[in-house]
Each structure stands twice: as structure tokens, then as C-alpha cells.
Amino acid sequence: MSTKSFLLLSLVIVFSISLSACQDAETEVSKNPLPEETTQLHAISTDKALSNLDNFLMDGSTRGGTLTQRLLV
């Protein structure tokens, strides 16, 4: 067997294997149902969170408390 015919045979084998690999049946992707709405028991409003943060910083127990007080005056 000559080199040319061996390369041609190898090419045909590689082509046929790659063609058969692409012939798999398409798998149907199922759609995920919409997630259920969950209620967050520990959620608070943004205004309340900012108020709590301001109160914590104004407490003076942090180094940032004095800086915040100076900026507000």
C-alpha cells in the first residue's frame, strides 16, 4: 500500500467518523419552570436600612462616627 492511498484511506476514515458523530439525534432542551416567588422574611426597606446604618455610625463606637458627624454639621 502506497503512502498516498494510506493517507486517502485515513482521511476517509476520519471523515466518516466525524460525520457519524454529528448525526446524533437532537436532544430536546426542556424549559425550566419559572421559579416560585419567595418571600424574604428578613428583608427590610432601603430607608430603614439606611436609618439603622446612620444610627450605628452616629453611636460614636466606630471611628467613622465622628467623621460622619463632622460632615453633617
Side-chain angles (χ1 to χ4, degrees):
M1 185 183 275
S2 68
T3 306
K4 187 175 182 177
S5 61
F6 178 73
L7 289 175
L8 183 60
L9 179 64
S10 298
L11 181 63
V12 169
I13 290 173
V14 168
F15 180 72
S16 63
I17 290 173
S18 64
L19 185 63
S20 68
C22 295
Q23 296 299 322
D24 292 338
E26 291 184 22
T27 57
E28 187 173 322
V29 177
S30 62
K31 293 182 179 179
N32 290 336
L34 294 175
E36 296 179 12
E37 289 187 26
T38 57
T39 57
Q40 296 180 359
L41 299 176
H42 303 290
I44 61 173
S45 68
T46 305
D47 294 332
K48 186 171 182 177
L50 290 174
S51 173
N52 288 344
L53 179 62
D54 285 338
N55 290 339
F56 175 73
L57 291 176
M58 293 296 183
D59 187 18
S61 61
T62 63
R63 289 184 285 172
T66 57
L67 178 63
T68 306
Q69 290 172 355
R70 277 188 264 156
L71 290 176
L72 291 176
V73 173

